[in-house]
Amino acid sequence: MAIQVSVCGPRDCTSEDGHNAREVGRLLAERGAVVICGGYTGVMAAVAAGARSAGGTVVGILSRPDREHAGPDLSIVIPTGAGEARNNIIVNSGDAVIVIGGSWGTLSELALAMRRGRTPVVQLGGWRLLDQHGQPVPGVRHATSPAQALQLTGLWPDQPL
Amino acid sequence: MAIQVSVCGPRDCTSEDGHNAREVGRLLAERGAVVICGGYTGVMAAVAAGARSAGGTVVGILSRPDREHAGPDLSIVIPTGAGEARNNIIVNSGDAVIVIGGSWGTLSELALAMRRGRTPVVQLGGWRLLDQHGQPVPGVRHATSPAQALQLTGLWPDQPL
Amino acid sequence: MAIQVSVCGPRDCTSEDGHNAREVGRLLAERGAVVICGGYTGVMAAVAAGARSAGGTVVGILSRPDREHAGPDLSIVIPTGAGEARNNIIVNSGDAVIVIGGSWGTLSELALAMRRGRTPVVQLGGWRLLDQHGQPVPGVRHATSPAQALQLTGLWPDQPL
Amino acid sequence: MAIQVSVCGPRDCTSEDGHNAREVGRLLAERGAVVICGGYTGVMAAVAAGARSAGGTVVGILSRPDREHAGPDLSIVIPTGAGEARNNIIVNSGDAVIVIGGSWGTLSELALAMRRGRTPVVQLGGWRLLDQHGQPVPGVRHATSPAQALQLTGLWPDQPL
């Protein structure tokens, strides 16, 4: 079975986030990883397009119970009908989770992935968290480029960037 | 995007159900359809093995939040963590639903697929339903062989069995 | 904590089913049980009205993420946003499950409750199941009146009907 | 139907968070609001105990499909079996959401409530969010006491604290 990497991010993303997502998708596909995403627009569409451009497989885990609004670059579509609870399914499905950009929905996915605690969680751009004492909340791995995001997943330790 | 067909059936299945499931999986893979199943044992394992034997793609929609007990013939694993609610996700994900054999879990999938009402539902073996007046409840398409099960989905109208 | 009884049935129900549901709701409230239901029309509305008429507490477990279309006789509303997966939550929430009338959605709840296997499942009216050999599938307790439905739950062994 | 307020917070909470949760529960019950919570330990148990001490009604929305580990102060128990997806159900069920203390699970509930965008979200203690530019992410209402937390929900505009 192939490595599966979940990539999360906003529907309405900045052009930088979109560029990063497309590049993350391309790099994941080149390494043979299956990309898991939310299947709609923004970061979700960009990572799917990037993976598709490199011949990769993309699974869209939709909130709706049907394929309406699903993006054009998905290989497989899972219309959960679970609403926002589909975010749990996305983070459960990755051997690592990469979060690109910031929004409330994206933050919920970051938090659920950290709550799960079983797989590396890498953040590229987006919001920052401070604890009660104003200190950064530890645990998330912060990348500054798509290539570093893949590196920080730890899934390809022997492969040069 | 490829055609997706969901195949449901009991964990503890008869040898006839297992044989039928394996054959349904093989025939679906030969036609290029992606098989969606529950990812564990019994009919789920048999349809996955059949599809895999013909080089097909099999997605396992698991009830657990991790890969424990997932079958060996899955191409992609979706550990929903949604418990039995994953049955909804399985029936939502198919362009048609094929139900093989009888159990309470399998019946719930048949009922959810009919409740959904958007895609053909084909039954091969398993339980029968009578309404309040003792008459068969209409709607489910009953097949007597794996090849007929595919035919009754209506997804390949021009292809000879 | 009070006894909780889940009552399931079709949105579009016969007048007999509606009458039975109302009476089941009334009897449950008289015994101090909390009624769990789907919160919309048909059997759901009838059981809520019956319980409310006797001063009972009714919890509506909605498929939608908001209160739209929720019935007027609910004491507490849980808008799950889980779609049809809310059926699992309804059957999980009862110390017993009473199913009134027949529909595909109702059948899915009956099947999920039997699949769960932890609590008594009582059926009043509705569809019948035959196995592969044409024999009735065992397990469901069949009642012919609202009072007998309560009796067959086994929750009030010492109380006269 | 009574006002429903969802209260979220960590299983492992500080004594200050526990004290605040108990007081929030008590104040909500005094105002006749139904308390919705996760039903287990920590903040969940404290808010339930506080509400119970004032004769209130507390609904526990459990992640498990059974009542195992459910707290002693719940009036009604909903064992969703939905895993962490139950967090969505909790935030959907409140006319307002009050978040006490910080943890990844709690943050996911805060984020889901803000993502939903239909009801006031009040935070008492816990983590802080900065956007890409190091500025506080707007939208959450920050309280410094249990009484102010209720006030900031906006649900009791005419009632003195």
Side-chain angles (χ1 to χ4, degrees):
Chain A
M1 213 174 63
I3 286 176
Q4 298 182 181
V5 176
S6 300
V7 181
C8 308
R11 294 175 193 231
D12 301 311
C13 71
T14 66
S15 63
E16 185 185 354
D17 292 336
H19 174 84
N20 282 339
R22 191 177 175 96
E23 184 69 1
V24 164
R26 191 182 65 77
L27 292 172
L28 287 170
E30 283 181 3
R31 278 159 182 71
V34 171
V35 171
I36 312 287
C37 72
Y40 295 122
T41 57
V43 158
M44 300 174 263
V47 71
R52 187 70 166 284
S53 75
T57 297
V58 185
V59 181
I61 311 279
L62 308 180
S63 50
R64 293 179 57 92
D66 52 44
R67 293 182 181 189
E68 206 172 322
H69 306 305
D73 290 312
L74 305 174
S75 319
I76 291 171
V77 176
I78 308 294
T80 65
E84 290 304 305
R86 70 84 131 81
N87 294 358
N88 296 278
I89 302 174
I90 293 173
V91 303
N92 284 348
S93 297
D95 296 301
V97 177
I98 298 175
V99 179
I100 300 173
S103 72
W104 290 113
T106 304
L107 181 67
S108 80
E109 291 171 305
L110 175 73
L112 289 166
M114 289 302 298
R115 165 82 175 80
R116 184 165 193 254
R118 302 189 195 188
T119 50
V121 180
V122 179
Q123 193 178 357
L124 179 56
W127 298 353
R128 288 295 183 275
L129 284 161
L130 302 181
D131 69 13
Q132 294 90 325
H133 312 292
Q135 299 301 309
V137 178
V140 180
R141 305 173 183 191
H142 293 281
T144 56
S145 71
Q148 193 191 16
L150 266 76
Q151 186 187 39
L152 291 178
T153 63
L155 294 172
W156 296 277
D158 299 331
Q159 192 165 3
L161 290 173
Chain B
M1 213 176 62
I3 286 176
Q4 299 181 180
V5 176
S6 300
V7 181
C8 307
R11 293 174 193 231
D12 301 311
C13 71
T14 65
S15 62
E16 184 184 354
D17 292 336
H19 174 84
N20 282 339
R22 191 177 175 95
E23 184 69 0
V24 164
R26 191 181 66 77
L27 293 171
L28 287 170
E30 282 181 3
R31 278 157 182 72
V34 170
V35 171
I36 311 287
C37 71
Y40 294 123
T41 57
V43 158
M44 300 175 264
V47 72
R52 187 71 167 282
S53 75
T57 297
V58 185
V59 181
I61 310 279
L62 308 181
S63 50
R64 293 179 57 92
D66 52 43
R67 295 183 179 187
E68 206 172 323
H69 306 306
D73 290 311
L74 306 173
S75 318
I76 291 171
V77 176
I78 308 293
T80 66
E84 290 304 305
R86 70 80 130 86
N87 294 358
N88 296 278
I89 302 174
I90 293 174
V91 304
N92 284 348
S93 297
D95 296 300
V97 177
I98 298 175
V99 178
I100 301 173
S103 72
W104 290 112
T106 303
L107 181 68
S108 79
E109 292 171 305
L110 176 73
L112 289 166
M114 289 302 297
R115 165 81 176 79
R116 186 165 191 256
R118 302 189 195 187
T119 49
V121 180
V122 179
Q123 193 178 355
L124 178 56
W127 298 352
R128 288 293 183 275
L129 284 161
L130 303 180
D131 70 13
Q132 294 89 325
H133 312 292
Q135 298 301 311
V137 177
V140 180
R141 305 173 183 190
H142 293 281
T144 56
S145 72
Q148 193 191 17
L150 266 75
Q151 186 187 40
L152 292 177
T153 65
L155 294 172
W156 296 277
D158 300 330
Q159 192 165 3
L161 290 173
Chain C
M1 212 175 62
I3 286 176
Q4 300 181 180
V5 176
S6 300
V7 181
C8 308
R11 293 174 194 232
D12 301 312
C13 71
T14 66
S15 62
E16 184 185 355
D17 292 337
H19 173 83
N20 283 339
R22 191 177 174 95
E23 184 69 1
V24 164
R26 191 182 66 78
L27 293 171
L28 287 170
E30 282 181 3
R31 278 159 182 70
V34 171
V35 171
I36 311 286
C37 71
Y40 294 122
T41 57
V43 159
M44 300 174 264
V47 73
R52 187 71 167 284
S53 75
T57 298
V58 185
V59 181
I61 310 279
L62 309 180
S63 50
R64 294 180 56 93
D66 51 44
R67 294 181 180 191
E68 207 172 322
H69 306 307
D73 291 312
L74 306 174
S75 319
I76 291 170
V77 177
I78 308 293
T80 65
E84 291 303 305
R86 71 83 132 83
N87 294 357
N88 296 278
I89 302 174
I90 292 173
V91 304
N92 284 348
S93 295
D95 296 302
V97 177
I98 298 176
V99 179
I100 301 173
S103 72
W104 290 112
T106 303
L107 181 68
S108 79
E109 291 170 306
L110 175 73
L112 289 166
M114 290 301 299
R115 165 80 176 79
R116 185 164 191 255
R118 301 188 196 188
T119 50
V121 180
V122 179
Q123 193 178 355
L124 179 56
W127 299 352
R128 288 294 183 275
L129 284 161
L130 302 181
D131 69 12
Q132 294 91 324
H133 312 291
Q135 299 301 311
V137 177
V140 179
R141 305 173 183 191
H142 293 280
T144 56
S145 72
Q148 193 189 17
L150 265 75
Q151 187 187 39
L152 291 178
T153 64
L155 294 172
W156 296 277
D158 299 330
Q159 192 165 1
L161 290 174
Chain D
M1 213 175 63
I3 286 177
Q4 300 181 179
V5 176
S6 300
V7 181
C8 308
R11 295 175 192 231
D12 302 312
C13 70
T14 65
S15 62
E16 185 185 354
D17 292 337
H19 174 84
N20 283 339
R22 190 178 175 95
E23 185 69 0
V24 164
R26 191 182 66 77
L27 293 171
L28 287 171
E30 282 181 4
R31 277 157 182 71
V34 171
V35 171
I36 312 286
C37 71
Y40 295 122
T41 58
V43 160
M44 300 174 264
V47 73
R52 186 69 166 283
S53 75
T57 297
V58 185
V59 181
I61 310 279
L62 309 180
S63 50
R64 293 180 56 94
D66 52 45
R67 294 182 180 190
E68 206 172 322
H69 306 305
D73 290 312
L74 305 174
S75 319
I76 291 171
V77 177
I78 308 294
T80 66
E84 290 304 304
R86 72 83 132 82
N87 294 357
N88 296 277
I89 302 174
I90 293 173
V91 304
N92 284 348
S93 296
D95 295 302
V97 177
I98 299 176
V99 178
I100 301 173
S103 72
W104 291 112
T106 303
L107 181 68
S108 79
E109 291 171 307
L110 175 73
L112 289 166
M114 290 301 298
R115 165 82 176 79
R116 186 164 192 257
R118 302 189 195 188
T119 50
V121 181
V122 179
Q123 192 178 357
L124 179 56
W127 299 353
R128 288 295 183 273
L129 284 161
L130 303 181
D131 69 13
Q132 294 91 326
H133 312 292
Q135 299 300 311
V137 177
V140 179
R141 305 172 183 192
H142 293 280
T144 57
S145 72
Q148 194 190 16
L150 265 75
Q151 187 187 38
L152 292 178
T153 64
L155 294 173
W156 296 277
D158 299 331
Q159 192 163 2
L161 289 174

